[in-house]
């Protein structure tokens, strides 16, 4: 069945059943493999994208429920918060294996877009659903604070 999805500012016609998870369409039909499959049960956050600006587990969203919403993936993320996050991530060398990191960056950018000066507690609340097998949590938290400083400058 043909469906039109708005991804990273572009309308894409895709041929998939309405119940198909957004994650599969992004990766397998649109070739946007920056969004990762980790668990498939909303437990790891590796598949996090933004749907109308909200961090969303793409493994749990059927494309039939996306409608005209704007989907943003790691390939299309932009704006002040996203730029600050990407700069801070590089500056603090956050990444280890990298598998979880697109989801981490999407979650952090959404946090900072709505809260330009998050506390440790705010960061814990916003990021606790994004798991990292390499345990980069300390650097992630420091990088979110650094991104907030960059946004202030
Ligand atoms: S793959 Fe979606 S939350 Fe783990
Ligand atoms: S950097 Fe390896 S899983 Fe997070």
């Amino acid at each position: 069945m043909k469906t039109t999805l708005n991804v990273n500012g572009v309308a894409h016609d895709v041929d998939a059943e309405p119940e198909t998870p957004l994650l599969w369409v992004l990766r397998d039909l649109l070739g946007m493999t920056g969004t990762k499959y980790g668990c498939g049960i909303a437990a790891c956050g590796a598949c996090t994208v933004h749907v109308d600006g909200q961090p969303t587990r793409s493994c749990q969203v059927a494309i039939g429920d996306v409608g005209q919403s704007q989907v943003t993936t790691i390939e299309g993320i932009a704006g002040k918060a996203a730029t600050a996050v990407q700069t801070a991530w590089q500056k603090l060398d956050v990444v280890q294996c990298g598998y979880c990191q697109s989801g981490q960056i999407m979650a952090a950018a959404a946090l900072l877009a709505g809260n330009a000066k998050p506390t440790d507690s705010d960061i814990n609340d916003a990021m606790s659903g994004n798991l990292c097998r390499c345990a980069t949590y300390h650097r992630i938290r420091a990088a979110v604070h650094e991104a907030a400083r960059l946004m202030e400058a």
Side-chain angles (χ1 to χ4, degrees), residues 23 36-47 57 59:
L23 175 61
K36 302 302 183 192
Y37 169 72
C39 65
I41 55 169
C44 75
C47 66
R57 305 288 188 252
C59 70

Side-chain angles (χ1 to χ4, degrees), residues 99-143:
Y99 198 84
C100 72
Q101 294 292 331
S102 58
Q104 305 283 3
I105 287 169
M106 297 306 285
L111 166 63
L112 287 163
N115 177 357
K117 202 156 187 171
T119 63
D120 281 349
S121 173
D122 295 333
I123 295 170
N124 289 348
D125 288 346
M127 307 291 294
S128 62
N130 286 78
L131 305 185
C132 175
R133 288 175 302 179
C134 304
T136 62
Y137 301 113
H138 182 74
R139 292 201 297 276
I140 287 170
R141 179 185 289 181

Side-chain angles (χ1 to χ4, degrees), residues 17-41:
E17 295 306 312
E19 61 271 22
T20 308
L22 175 59
L23 175 61
W24 301 137
V25 172
L26 292 173
R27 289 182 56 84
D28 294 347
L29 299 186
L30 298 181
M32 297 179 186
T33 54
T35 305
K36 302 302 183 192
Y37 169 72
C39 65
I41 55 169

Side-chain angles (χ1 to χ4, degrees), residues 3-16 20-35 49 63 66 71-73 75:
T3 304
T4 301
L5 286 177
N6 296 307
V7 183
N8 298 334
V10 177
H12 295 270
D13 293 324
V14 297
D15 190 4
T20 308
L22 175 59
L23 175 61
W24 301 137
V25 172
L26 292 173
R27 289 182 56 84
D28 294 347
L29 299 186
L30 298 181
M32 297 179 186
T33 54
T35 305
V49 298
I63 58 167
V66 174
V71 177
T72 305
T73 70
E75 290 88 352

